[in-house]
Amino acid sequence: MEKKAQYFAPSALEEALKLLQKHQLTVIAGGTDLLVQNYEKLPALGSILDMSRIDALKGIEVGKEVSIYTLTTHAQLEAHPWIKEKLPFLAAAAGEVGSPQVRNRGTAGGNIVNASPAADLAPPLISLDARVFLQKGNEERIINLEDFFLGPGQSVLEKGELLVKVVFKPPPARAAGCYIKIGQRKAQAIAITSVAVLVEMAADGKEIADIRICLGSVGPVPIRARKTEALLQGASRANLPLKEACRILEAEIAPMDDIRGTAWYRQQVSKTIFRRALMQALAHGEVR
Amino acid sequence: MSKVTGRARFADDLSFHGMLFASTVYSQHPHARIKKVDMSKAMDIPEVLAVITPDDVPGSNGVMRGFLVLAGEKVKYVGDGVALVVAKSETAARKGRDAVVVDYEPLPPVLSIDDALKSGASLVHEDKEDNIISKSRYQLKKGDLERGFAEADFIVERTYETQFVAHAYIEPEVVIAVPDFNQEFMTIYGSIQNPFSARAAVAAALGWSVGQVKIVQNAVGGTFGGKDECAILNACRAAIASIKTHRPVKLSLSREESMVEGPKRHPYRFNFKVGVKKDGSILAMKSELIAQGGAYNNKAQFTNWRASIHATGPYNIPNIETRVFGVYTNTIYGGAMRGFSSPQCIFAQESLMDEIAQELDMDPLELRRKNALSPGHTLPDGQLLGEGGLPAPLPDIIDNTARKFKYSKPAQPQEGSVKKGIGIACGFRGAGLGAEAGADATGAIVTVQSDGSITIVSGLTDNGQGLKVAFSQIVAEVLGVSLDRIVYPTTDTSIIPDGGPTVASRGVMIGGRAMEKAALEVKKKILVVAGEILQLDPEKLTIENEEIFSPDNPEKRVSYMDVVSRAYATGQMLAALSWFSTGVPEFDYETGQGKSYPTYSWGMVITEVEVDTETGLVKVNRALSTHDVGTAINPAAIKGQVYGGYVMGQGMAVLEDIEQANGFVKSKNFDEYLIPTAMDIPDIDVLIVETGDTYGPFGGKSVGEPGTEMAAASVANAIAQATGRRIRNLPCNLERVFLGYNLTRQGTAR
């Protein structure tokens, strides 16, 4: 006999963590990935832990560090005044997710734990050196977001563990970012390739003091282009080694053929959008 | 309106006492012999009541020119149904479906036009000699082709290809079979475009006469030609399950099932050879068209005939030879889809026109102006245009459209990576079925009820295109009564003779004529009764605003309601069943010469795009779509048709393509089969042209299909102009635009 599925909707995080210790539960937040992936076999999800009533996991805190709590929706992220002003590229990435309906339901935490290499929030957050706070029972661990992903749909998240928040340091004033995504249409498109570039200029405004580059959809996980970063570190804005950077970037990514595009196309266009994102980030940096 | 408020009830909303649910076991191979079907595990599921195989089909398992209710010996594509599981719940039916074990012996599949034509190719249909669809061959011959080529200054040869495109209706197919327990009688409720075709197939499958089957069409959530073969096969399956279980049976397809089993727009290959003079005049055009029919065929003979008339475009070409045929493949199949081969033909033909213009270094608009069919010319079928013939508004349409759009060719070369392009497409469309299959005929019933309400019945169906509104307007207009009096019940095959399918933009054109005729007959009857009351000659009476009077003596009048009351009191019938037929047209199928269609609709589309040449992204900025509609019966509905039609064409141009790998469908839902969203839609302007064509009711002509058929061609031409590279196979997706050709498939780069 099949066991009857149960539905839990606790309002406290502690209660949710306890329930996860006690039962085999499928965790649902906005449901924009989970329900789509399972819509023909919903009974297979078994018992459900609905996170949506845990108010402590909603919202964004800005202080010495920025904390985006797991249930923050893409719409909230996109419209948050501080994010919009200081990190427009992160707001833009949130605005690239799905459609208004999806952005109203879908959550930042869900976008990450779904562990899609095409997740729109991953490249900008990784370029911000974000960490994720994971909790299981009473135990908390902190992982670099870059290390969170293991493969398509796979992450370090353990059974019974919840992603509580994403945290990063606000970048210095001389930094600027850019996110560019290529999809087949303007909305409700999964990235064929995407890139986030965060550049920090030296005090004289002439050299790149620091740069972080992360690409989506061009490998099994979001890919940080460290070798390309190393080349551009300290490079002078007037004399950027763009060709060489593109050559290195091409070797750092490992795209595949799939229904949305071929590996070759991804390889070529990733270089284009990287170049554009870098130039735009530099231009934004200049404005400040 | 009920669709907007959410009150409309679709087939899936209906439920009947004791209703069972069925689920089809689909083929696991594109081409394979069925060795064994083991249903024991499915029958072990307590809620499963029956598993149906071809042995259970009481009548004919073959319906609609070779489609099979269930495949018995071999499967010919992945959408073939092998068995049907009937259960008490939908979940149990699906569980049962997954528990049926079918043993297959795979056969080499025929996957493309080239595969199908290869010598020694395996046969999709083993009872046939080759893979060519019988009766799919048509030809059109006009003038002297060889002489035309000999007189030409140069020859252009090009090949173009199109893809399988899905209708993407929002509601997948749903049918419910409800048996009558007192007699052999079956009612089918469903989202079915063509109730009479469905009735014939269900009756054949049951081995009954057509009168024992009644099809009731529910509110339809989109069809565009598609709710046909697949919906009808499922109606047959549900009916058989219903006979076997003595219960109502519902079959509701998932999106995935609908995408895999259902019809699509036929892919075509076009081989053109054109002879052109230096001044731009086209002297001769030879075209060979091959349609990929897929596993079964019910429509290629019709789409191909239409293509044979239209393939060379709305141009004055004195020497033409067009040949067309279709092939079977072990793939999803082609069926009717909005445009019925014209979107494919116009893409190829209008791409060709632009390539000729490029060869001549001539403005594409100028080339079209020079060759446009004009008064005094003859159509490809030989019919005369202008004085004493059919209207020929294309030259004016070209000028007016260009002026309204403020057309000018963008200066080349353009700076930067984002480049603008403007694309033109012209088209003409034979209205109605024409000589496709003999006469084009349908009926209408208009009945004035005792309370003054007027019931109207058509054999044609409202699939969302607004036929009900148009027919109601026609009847209210003829009878001089308020539109509120019209009652238009759901289409039901048991109350009106078979008037053919609602296709080919014939709804208003042909159905409207029948409706107008029935209304005129009823009007005559009303006037006779009014004449009795007024003691006046009925011939001299007229109806306006529900009052009947003689214009000579307008004081003497009687109300519509008084006439109705008297008619009922004195036993006079105020009803008419009328029939309108075009008659069998004079047409020579050997040469394609004669009266192909009673009249044509003409049009033109201009589109402006921006192409990011470094990524292949295409942004459609704005479009103007011009249509000759004869007389605009409902301008708002015309614009609605054109907006939706344009976007369907835009999708075909840049996005839509059923991805298949070795005969398996990859894009089964709308996360993988992408259509344009509201964000992608450009500013679309519609220019309505009235030509005073006298053919349709109040001079109205088709617009349902013209609205979509030129859009893809105009977008493709705009992209080619922007990038300087011609993509000869649709869609112009990111990669093809970026590269100029496709990586995974064979393409033709310039």
Side-chain angles (χ1 to χ4, degrees):
Chain A
M1 263 312 274
E2 285 172 51
K3 253 177 69 185
K4 278 238 158 81
Q6 285 181 285
Y7 173 79
F8 300 100
S11 51
L13 173 61
E14 296 68 34
E15 203 188 331
L17 291 165
K18 264 186 209 150
L19 285 165
L20 282 168
Q21 297 281 304
K22 236 172 102 185
H23 305 273
Q24 273 272 46
L25 296 173
T26 300
V27 179
I28 184 166
T32 53
D33 283 314
L34 190 74
L35 296 184
V36 173
Q37 287 156 3
N38 294 282
Y39 83 101
E40 269 197 310
K41 42 180 189 222
L42 291 180
L45 293 177
S47 294
I48 300 286
L49 176 71
D50 178 355
M51 308 247 294
S52 63
R53 292 183 199 171
I54 308 176
D55 289 339
L57 296 184
K58 297 175 185 171
I60 298 167
E61 277 173 17
V62 181
K64 272 189 182 156
E65 292 204 304
V66 180
S67 299
I68 298 169
Y69 283 88
T70 193
L71 293 181
T72 308
T73 64
H74 302 296
Q76 287 161 352
L77 191 53
E78 189 186 356
H80 190 270
W82 188 89
I83 302 274
K84 254 168 72 176
E85 198 204 320
K86 304 286 183 191
L87 300 172
F89 80 124
L90 180 58
E96 285 282 354
V97 177
S99 59
Q101 296 91 325
V102 172
R103 294 196 288 276
N104 283 333
R105 283 204 66 87
T107 62
N111 195 247
I112 293 167
V113 299
N114 186 50
S116 162
D120 280 304
L121 296 187
L125 286 172
I126 288 175
S127 77
L128 287 161
D129 251 347
R131 292 154 289 143
V132 285
F133 282 60
L134 310 178
Q135 201 166 342
K136 183 179 181 178
N138 293 324
E139 312 222 339
E140 185 182 72
R141 55 183 183 137
I142 304 168
I143 305 263
N144 283 333
L145 180 57
E146 193 187 337
D147 303 324
F148 178 81
F149 304 99
L150 297 177
Q154 293 174 325
S155 70
V156 301
L157 196 72
E158 290 171 9
K159 260 208 162 55
E161 197 170 34
L162 286 179
L163 190 157
V164 173
K165 58 182 175 180
V166 190
V167 178
F168 56 85
K169 284 199 184 71
R174 282 187 308 275
C178 181
Y179 177 69
I180 298 181
K181 165 186 180 174
I182 297 292
Q184 284 165 289
R185 61 182 175 195
K186 285 189 203 159
Q188 285 192 306
I190 295 171
I192 297 173
T193 168
S194 62
V195 65
V197 175
L198 183 68
V199 188
E200 186 191 333
M201 297 308 291
D204 63 2
K206 284 182 182 157
E207 277 168 17
I208 294 176
D210 199 4
I211 180 166
R212 287 192 289 273
I213 304 160
C214 182
L215 295 102
S217 284
V218 287
V221 296
I223 290 178
R224 176 100 181 254
R226 286 186 184 277
K227 289 177 187 159
T228 314
E229 290 173 7
L231 175 81
L232 292 170
Q233 211 90 38
S236 111
R237 136 185 255 151
N239 198 12
L240 280 176
L242 267 183
K243 257 196 180 151
E244 178 68 0
C246 285
R247 197 187 58 76
I248 296 175
L249 185 95
E250 188 173 350
E252 283 195 274
I253 57 178
M256 281 183 359
D257 288 343
D258 72 9
I259 194 157
R260 283 178 284 279
T262 60
W264 193 88
Y265 173 84
R266 288 186 154 105
Q267 202 97 40
Q268 300 312 311
V269 174
S270 295
K271 290 187 284 187
T272 302
I273 60 172
F274 155 68
R275 182 169 42 76
R276 288 182 180 177
L278 176 62
M279 299 319 282
Q280 279 180 39
L282 287 172
H284 290 171
E286 202 163 31
V287 173
R288 284 194 187 186
Chain B
M1 188 63 188
S2 61
K3 283 184 181 168
V4 178
T5 59
R7 271 190 301 116
R9 300 240 292 166
F10 295 88
D12 208 24
D13 297 326
L14 302 183
S15 188
F16 293 86
H17 182 69
M19 186 170 81
L20 302 176
F21 299 84
S23 181
T24 304
V25 178
Y26 286 104
S27 166
Q28 297 295 314
H29 294 273
H31 197 195
R33 226 170 282 293
I34 301 168
K35 291 173 74 180
K36 199 177 148 207
V37 179
D38 179 0
M39 55 188 82
S40 57
K41 284 209 179 71
M43 289 303 291
D44 285 346
I45 297 170
E47 280 191 289
V48 170
L49 299 185
V51 178
I52 287 164
T53 65
D55 297 337
D56 299 302
V57 180
S60 167
N61 190 35
V63 291
M64 299 180 289
R65 301 180 177 90
F67 274 84
L68 298 175
V69 176
L70 291 168
E73 286 163 27
K74 78 167 192 173
V75 288
K76 302 184 195 77
Y77 84 120
V78 288
D80 257 325
V82 176
L84 186 75
V85 176
V86 192
K88 285 182 183 164
S89 71
E90 203 154 16
T91 316
R94 294 207 162 139
K95 220 184 241 175
R97 170 198 67 192
D98 295 340
V100 172
V101 182
V102 185
D103 193 7
Y104 295 99
E105 179 196 330
L107 299 168
V110 175
L111 298 176
S112 63
I113 290 173
D114 291 325
D115 278 2
L117 295 176
K118 226 178 266 165
S119 67
S122 45
L123 290 175
V124 178
H125 292 263
E126 282 163 352
D127 57 337
K128 302 197 162 39
E129 275 175 30
D130 53 28
N131 287 320
I132 292 174
I133 297 169
S134 48
K135 296 188 180 143
S136 71
R137 276 188 192 279
Y138 288 97
Q139 54 188 2
L140 182 146
K141 283 181 185 170
K142 187 183 183 190
D144 182 343
L145 192 73
E146 288 315 316
R147 215 184 77 196
F149 283 137
E151 288 172 6
D153 291 325
F154 64 95
I155 304 284
V156 178
E157 287 184 85
R158 290 288 187 276
T159 295
Y160 304 94
E161 286 182 344
T162 66
Q163 75 279 42
F164 277 112
V165 175
H167 308 78
Y169 24 75
I170 199 154
E171 174 209 26
E173 292 80 353
V174 182
V175 290
I176 308 169
V178 182
D180 184 326
F181 299 104
N182 298 315
Q183 53 182 337
E184 283 204 335
F185 194 87
M186 180 74 68
T187 306
I188 306 276
Y189 297 85
S191 50
I192 292 169
Q193 175 162 344
N194 302 313
F196 289 99
S197 322
R199 183 178 70 165
V202 171
L206 293 177
W208 291 0
S209 66
V210 290
Q212 290 169 285
V213 177
K214 172 167 124 174
I215 310 288
V216 180
Q217 191 199 39
N218 300 96
V220 171
T223 163
F224 311 107
K227 296 264 173 74
D228 203 50
E229 290 87 358
C230 172
I232 292 173
L233 281 182
N234 281 285
C236 295
R237 290 176 196 152
I240 292 160
S242 168
I243 293 288
K244 179 136 179 166
T245 56
H246 305 286
R247 303 268 283 269
V249 174
K250 180 190 265 189
L251 233 174
S252 167
L253 269 61
S254 69
R255 175 65 61 191
E256 286 78 3
E257 289 171 331
S258 170
M259 285 292 264
V260 173
E261 184 180 1
K264 305 288 176 297
R265 181 178 279 147
H266 288 100
Y268 271 85
R269 177 184 295 168
F270 300 81
N271 295 314
F272 284 112
K273 182 178 172 188
V274 199
V276 191
K277 284 282 232 195
K278 273 186 192 138
D279 68 356
S281 42
I282 300 171
L283 292 185
M285 189 176 294
K286 184 182 175 188
S287 59
E288 182 196 50
L289 282 62
I290 308 170
Q292 186 177 350
Y296 297 96
N297 175 62
N298 186 34
K299 295 279 160 59
Q301 65 280 25
F302 303 136
T303 49
N304 280 0
W305 180 73
R306 177 172 280 278
S308 73
I309 307 295
H310 293 82
T312 50
Y315 303 110
N316 180 39
I317 305 169
N319 308 296
I320 297 176
E321 191 182 304
T322 302
R323 290 174 186 277
V324 50
F325 66 96
V327 297
Y328 288 113
T329 52
N330 294 114
T331 61
I332 50 173
Y333 63 88
M337 180 170 173
R338 195 177 191 179
F340 212 63
S341 79
S342 286
Q344 300 96 309
C345 286
I346 296 176
F347 159 69
Q349 163 62 32
E350 291 298 282
S351 296
L352 179 68
M353 287 300 281
D354 268 26
E355 294 210 62
I356 295 170
Q358 196 180 357
E359 294 286 340
L360 291 164
D361 201 19
M362 196 174 190
D363 188 307
L365 187 78
E366 197 46 49
L367 182 71
R368 286 170 175 84
R369 225 182 236 136
K370 183 156 187 73
N371 289 285
L373 279 167
S374 309
H377 293 154
T378 57
L379 286 160
D381 69 5
Q383 290 191 84
L384 179 68
L385 294 171
E387 199 64 40
L390 298 172
L394 187 59
D396 290 343
I397 285 176
I398 292 175
D399 288 342
N400 293 334
T401 309
R403 194 175 311 125
K404 189 165 165 50
F405 191 85
K406 297 190 170 69
Y407 171 86
S408 70
K409 222 177 136 181
Q412 301 287 1
Q414 300 178 38
E415 294 290 314
S417 57
V418 177
K419 301 193 194 293
K420 246 187 204 172
I422 292 175
I424 302 169
C426 295
F428 67 150
R429 179 174 192 87
L433 294 172
E436 176 181 298
D440 190 350
T442 202
I445 303 174
V446 173
T447 306
V448 176
Q449 309 288 2
S450 58
D451 63 356
S453 64
I454 299 164
T455 310
I456 65 175
V457 179
S458 167
L460 305 182
T461 54
D462 193 324
N463 304 313
Q465 79 278 41
L467 205 64
K468 283 189 173 187
V469 175
F471 284 177
S472 300
Q473 280 179 335
I474 288 170
V475 173
E477 180 81 26
V478 169
L479 294 181
V481 299
S482 157
L483 199 56
D484 301 338
R485 291 201 183 269
I486 311 288
V487 176
Y488 194 147
T490 305
T491 303
D492 173 339
T493 55
S494 64
I495 50 179
I496 188 163
D498 182 353
T502 306
V503 296
S505 306
R506 68 191 283 263
V508 168
M509 278 260 317
I510 307 296
R513 284 286 287 272
M515 198 54 79
E516 185 185 23
K517 218 171 146 187
L520 283 167
E521 279 181 48
V522 170
K523 181 182 178 182
K524 226 177 192 173
K525 293 178 181 181
I526 290 173
L527 296 184
V528 167
V529 178
E532 287 170 19
I533 298 173
L534 297 170
Q535 300 282 306
L536 288 171
D537 180 359
E539 299 270 322
K540 297 202 168 123
L541 296 177
T542 179
I543 319 180
E544 252 175 51
N545 297 322
E546 308 207 341
E547 301 246 314
I548 296 115
F549 57 93
S550 159
D552 310 335
N553 187 5
E555 272 81 66
K556 231 178 147 184
R557 53 178 62 214
V558 59
S559 77
Y560 162 75
M561 272 317 298
D562 285 347
V563 172
V564 173
S565 302
R566 181 179 165 93
Y568 272 84
T570 56
Q572 301 187 62
M573 182 193 70
L574 299 182
L577 160 63
S578 295
W579 196 252
F580 173 76
S581 170
T582 58
V584 177
E586 284 169 36
F587 187 80
D588 180 348
Y589 291 87
E590 283 300 305
T591 58
Q593 297 297 294
K595 236 178 147 186
S596 61
Y597 293 93
T599 190
Y600 282 74
S601 299
W602 304 77
M604 174 169 168
V605 177
I606 310 187
T607 295
E608 182 190 284
V609 301
E610 265 174 34
V611 181
D612 183 339
T613 52
E614 291 182 342
T615 62
L617 278 175
V618 173
K619 181 170 166 247
V620 181
N621 284 342
R622 63 185 182 114
L624 173 61
S625 199
T626 302
H627 299 278
D628 144 39
V629 297
T631 303
I633 291 182
N634 185 342
I638 290 171
K639 286 186 179 175
Q641 281 273 14
V642 175
Y643 296 148
Y646 183 90
V647 177
M648 274 184 119
Q650 182 188 346
M652 176 182 176
V654 298
L655 275 174
E656 298 183 40
D657 191 2
I658 303 275
E659 284 271 343
Q660 296 184 88
N662 302 318
F664 293 90
V665 176
K666 310 265 272 185
S667 36
K668 293 184 188 173
N669 206 327
F670 295 134
D671 56 340
E672 283 159 340
Y673 184 84
L674 299 191
I675 62 174
T677 73
M679 296 287 289
D680 302 290
I681 298 174
D683 280 336
I684 304 167
D685 201 359
V686 182
L687 179 58
I688 295 175
V689 175
E690 299 196 317
T691 47
D693 205 327
T694 53
Y695 191 73
F698 302 107
K701 283 196 294 199
S702 329
V703 76
E705 295 176 287
T708 207
E709 65 190 13
M710 293 171 280
S714 73
V715 173
N717 278 343
I719 293 170
Q721 203 200 49
T723 61
R725 285 193 299 210
R726 173 70 47 182
I727 297 166
R728 301 196 180 90
N729 40 3
L730 287 182
C732 303
N733 58 22
L734 287 175
E735 291 195 10
R736 288 183 190 160
V737 175
F738 177 62
L739 292 167
Y741 60 93
N742 184 256
L743 270 181
T744 48
R745 292 188 197 167
Q746 254 197 335
T748 38
R750 210 186 145 80

